[in-house]
Amino acid sequence: MFKNRRATHNGLIWLGIFVFFAVSVYVLRSVLLPFVAGIIIGYLLDPWASKFEKWGMNRTCATIVVMLLVILIMVPAIMLLFGIIDEQLGHFLQSVPRYLASFVKKIEPVIIELQERFPNMQPEKFREYLQDNMTNGMKIIGKLFSRLVTSGFALVNVLSLLLITPIVAFYMLRDWDTFVAKVDDLLPQQSKAGIEMQAREIDRILASFIRGQLSVCVLLGTFYAVGLYVVGLDLGVLVGFMAGILSFIPYVGTISGFVVSLAIAFAQFDSWGPIAQVIAVFLVGQFIEGNFLTPKLVGDSVGLHPVWVMFALLAGGVLLGFLGLMIAVPVAAVIGVIIRHQIENYKQSSLYLD
C-alpha cells in the first residue's frame, strides 16, 4: 500500500512538471524559436564534433571547426540558391500573360466540348473569368514568393534567428556532453536505468529520423531543383527545393511539388516533351528516394509511423506555429517511446496477465 501511494505521489509530481513545462512552452512560444533552433543544430552537429574530439581536438576547437565548416558550406549555397530563385521569379512574373494565353488555348477544346453539352454557356465570359482569376492568383503568388525571398522569410523573426541561433548552437554544441551529464545526474536513482534506456531509444529514433530524413530532404530537393532547372521549368529551382524540404512530411512534398510543377509546365511549354521530362524528374526522384536514400540514411527501424508524423506536425503547427513544426517530431518520438514502454509494462502486470 505504501509503495502504491509513493508511486502515485511520484506520478503526480512528474505530471505537474510536464504540465508546467507545456504551459511554459506555450506562453513563451514567440521567443523560443531561436533557442530551439540552436538546440536542434547543436544536436545535429554533435556527431561531427565528437569525431574531431576522437582525432585529438578539445571540445571547443572541435566546435569552432564544425561551425566554420557549416558556415563555409551553407552561406555560399544559400546565396547561390536565392540568386537563382530571384532570377527565375523575375522571368516568371514577366511571362505570366503568355502562360495564361497558352493555358487558355490548351483548354479551348474543353470549352468547346462544354459549349456543345451546355448551349446556354457563354464561352467568352468563361474565358475572361478564368483568365482574370488566374492572372490575379499568379500575381499574388509571385508577389508572395518575391517577398519571401527578399525579406528572408518574414514568417519568423529573422533577426533573432540570425543573431541568437548561432550563439545558442555554438554553446550547445560545445557543452553538449556536459549538459547530458548534468541531466543524467539529476535522474531519480530508482528509475535511472529505465529512463536511460528510454533516452537511448529516443536518441536512436531521433538520430535515424531527423538526421537521416534531413539528409534525404536536402539531397532530394537538390535533385528536384537541378532536374527542373535543366528541363527549363520556370520556378523549377524553388519548386524543386521546396518539394524536397517538404518531403519531411510523408508524401506531402513530392505530391505538392509534382502538382505545382506540372501546372507550370502545362502553362509554359507548347509541346508534351518538356512536360514528360518534368514527370520523369519526379519519377526518378521517387525511385532514388525509395530505393537508395531512405533505406540507407533513415532505415526501416525508426519506429515513427508516417501517419503519426503527419499528425504530430499538424498538431504542432496549429498549437505553436513554426516552433511547433520544429519540435513536433522529437515530441512524437518521446511520446511513442513512452507509450511502447508503458504497453510492455502493462503486458507484464497482473492487470493484463490475470
Side-chain angles (χ1 to χ4, degrees):
M1 182 176 178
F2 177 74
K3 288 184 177 180
N4 291 336
R5 290 177 60 185
R6 185 176 180 180
T8 303
H9 181 260
N10 291 340
L12 291 174
I13 292 176
W14 283 110
L15 179 61
I17 294 173
F18 171 76
V19 171
F20 175 77
F21 176 77
V23 172
S24 299
V25 170
Y26 183 79
V27 172
L28 299 173
R29 63 189 183 278
S30 59
V31 298
L32 284 178
L33 181 60
F35 297 94
V36 173
I39 293 172
I40 293 175
I41 292 173
Y43 174 76
L44 294 175
L45 298 179
D46 178 63
W48 289 18
S50 298
K51 286 185 179 181
F52 283 112
E53 273 192 298
K54 291 180 181 179
W55 294 342
M57 287 188 183
N58 61 50
R59 187 70 181 190
T60 302
C61 290
T63 300
I64 293 173
V65 171
V66 170
M67 295 295 289
L68 286 176
L69 287 175
V70 171
I71 292 172
L72 290 175
I73 294 172
M74 292 298 296
V75 171
I78 291 175
M79 291 178 65
L80 177 63
L81 177 65
F82 274 76
I84 295 175
I85 291 175
D86 185 58
E87 178 186 353
Q88 289 199 335
L89 271 175
H91 182 266
F92 176 78
L93 293 175
Q94 291 177 356
S95 304
V96 165
R98 179 170 58 86
Y99 291 163
L100 289 175
S102 174
F103 183 81
V104 171
K105 182 180 178 181
K106 289 175 182 176
I107 65 170
E108 188 78 23
V110 178
I111 297 176
I112 295 174
E113 180 70 19
L114 289 174
Q115 188 179 12
E116 292 176 356
R117 292 178 179 270
F118 305 98
N120 294 328
M121 188 187 77
Q122 299 179 352
E124 291 301 327
K125 289 188 176 180
F126 180 77
R127 291 191 191 96
E128 291 177 4
Y129 174 82
L130 181 65
Q131 190 162 355
D132 290 343
N133 281 274
M134 287 187 64
T135 301
N136 294 332
M138 285 192 168
K139 285 182 178 178
I140 292 173
I141 294 173
K143 288 180 180 179
L144 176 62
F145 280 135
S146 181
R147 288 179 182 177
L148 288 176
V149 172
T150 56
S151 64
F153 302 108
L155 297 176
V156 294
N157 192 334
V158 179
L159 184 61
S160 64
L161 283 175
L162 293 177
L163 295 179
I164 300 175
T165 300
I167 298 174
V168 175
F170 174 83
Y171 282 109
M172 288 303 302
L173 184 58
R174 191 194 67 175
D175 301 328
W176 188 265
D177 294 336
T178 304
F179 176 75
V180 172
K182 288 183 177 180
V183 172
D184 184 71
D185 187 57
L186 293 174
L187 296 177
Q189 296 300 310
Q190 291 186 348
S191 309
K192 188 172 183 178
I195 295 175
E196 287 179 342
M197 180 180 66
Q198 294 183 38
R200 284 192 294 270
E201 185 175 351
I202 291 170
D203 179 65
R204 178 187 64 81
I205 292 174
L206 291 180
S208 299
F209 188 84
I210 295 183
R211 292 181 182 135
Q213 192 65 47
L214 185 62
S215 301
V216 170
C217 290
V218 172
L219 292 173
L220 193 62
T222 303
F223 174 81
Y224 285 149
V226 173
L228 296 177
Y229 181 77
V230 171
V231 170
L233 184 73
D234 283 345
L235 294 182
V237 173
L238 177 61
V239 174
F241 197 75
M242 291 304 297
I245 297 301
L246 289 177
S247 296
F248 197 86
I249 309 173
Y251 311 115
V252 171
T254 299
I255 293 175
S256 60
F258 176 75
V259 171
V260 173
S261 298
L262 204 59
I264 296 175
F266 187 74
Q268 177 183 350
F269 300 116
D270 296 325
S271 62
W272 287 100
I275 298 176
Q277 292 176 6
V278 170
I279 298 174
V281 168
F282 280 91
L283 290 178
V284 174
Q286 277 303 288
F287 177 80
I288 293 174
E289 185 217 350
N291 293 277
F292 299 100
L293 294 181
T294 299
K296 296 293 183 182
L297 299 175
V298 180
D300 300 324
S301 59
V302 172
L304 289 176
H305 195 276
V307 175
W308 178 233
V309 173
M310 285 190 285
F311 172 78
L313 289 168
L314 180 61
V318 170
L319 292 174
L320 300 173
F322 191 72
L323 174 65
L325 294 177
M326 295 183 68
I327 66 175
V329 173
V331 172
V334 172
I335 294 175
V337 170
I338 292 175
I339 290 176
R340 281 197 294 272
H341 280 274
Q342 291 302 319
I343 292 175
E344 292 176 2
N345 293 335
Y346 163 70
K347 288 186 176 181
Q348 295 174 2
S349 66
S350 58
L351 182 62
Y352 176 80
L353 296 175
D354 292 344

